[in-house]
Amino acid sequence: MKSTMAVNQPGAQKVNDWTDILGDFKGVESDLIPILLRVQEGLGYISEEAVRCISLFLKLSENQIYGVASFYPKFRFSEPGAQKIKVCMGTACHVKGGHFLSDAVAWELGISIGQASADKRFDFQRATCLGCCTLAPVVQIDDRIHARVLVTQIKEILKKRE
């Protein structure tokens, strides 16, 4: 299947057309998860256009594709923000107020978990554990860990990242 629809998104890996993604697959139903993974890797999310093209390629309904993709938390359906913010929700971070930090980040950015800010500068996620238990509670912005973060520090930390 060849589609001429360009899917290039700002900040995402460029994909010239759908043959870059679908060309290695046979077009059978068992290709769905590997195709979704490749789309997610290339675009950073599963776009509506991607679902339509996959639907045509695999001869599955768009609802079937959404049904499978929405089952797995790894897949997202909105474009991610440029800077990745993760609030750790591991045991140590949870005990030391990680959920309050999560609420503070959401409040400050005006978004919910799993969303990107309207200007696409920030992407907000919770992490099961960032492996920094002795530094709890922690917030990760891109590759940098902010340790022993207080709710009152969130606004300043985010402002420095703007």
Side-chain angles (χ1 to χ4, degrees):
M1 175 183 162
K2 179 164 176 68
S3 170
T4 57
M5 292 184 278
V7 293
N8 299 329
Q9 300 292 325
Q13 177 184 343
K14 288 191 169 203
V15 179
N16 293 328
D17 63 40
W18 288 102
T19 56
D20 289 347
I21 292 174
L22 303 174
D24 296 335
F25 296 97
K26 296 177 183 171
V28 294
E29 191 173 336
S30 61
D31 288 338
L32 178 57
I33 297 292
I35 290 172
L36 290 171
L37 288 169
R38 190 170 292 176
V39 169
Q40 179 90 13
E41 181 182 301
L43 299 177
Y45 72 109
I46 309 295
S47 68
E48 289 180 27
E49 179 183 353
V51 171
R52 279 192 301 273
C53 287
I54 295 167
S55 172
L56 292 171
F57 182 68
L58 296 180
K59 298 174 182 60
L60 295 173
S61 74
E62 292 178 22
N63 285 340
Q64 288 174 294
I65 294 167
Y66 278 114
V68 170
S70 64
F71 177 78
Y72 298 99
K74 177 176 180 58
F75 297 120
R76 60 180 300 152
F77 298 100
S78 60
E79 185 178 348
Q83 295 187 61
K84 314 286 184 236
I85 300 171
K86 293 180 182 176
V87 176
C88 183
M89 299 306 290
T91 303
C93 289
H94 178 76
V95 168
K96 293 193 172 188
H99 58 289
F100 293 120
L101 291 178
S102 178
D103 290 347
V105 170
W107 176 264
E108 196 62 41
L109 296 177
I111 58 177
S112 299
I113 298 161
Q115 293 183 329
S117 58
D119 59 5
K120 302 294 182 199
R121 293 171 61 191
F122 297 105
D123 189 73
F124 177 39
Q125 302 289 325
R126 282 184 173 173
T128 305
C129 182
L130 293 173
C132 306
C133 300
T134 59
L135 304 174
V138 298
V139 174
Q140 181 180 14
I141 301 179
D142 293 329
D143 293 331
R144 183 169 180 209
I145 296 289
H146 297 268
R148 297 181 185 93
V149 177
L150 301 173
V151 169
T152 54
Q153 296 172 309
I154 289 294
K155 187 174 186 173
E156 185 175 328
I157 289 170
L158 294 175
K159 189 172 183 173
K160 287 180 182 176
R161 300 299 296 207
E162 291 182 336

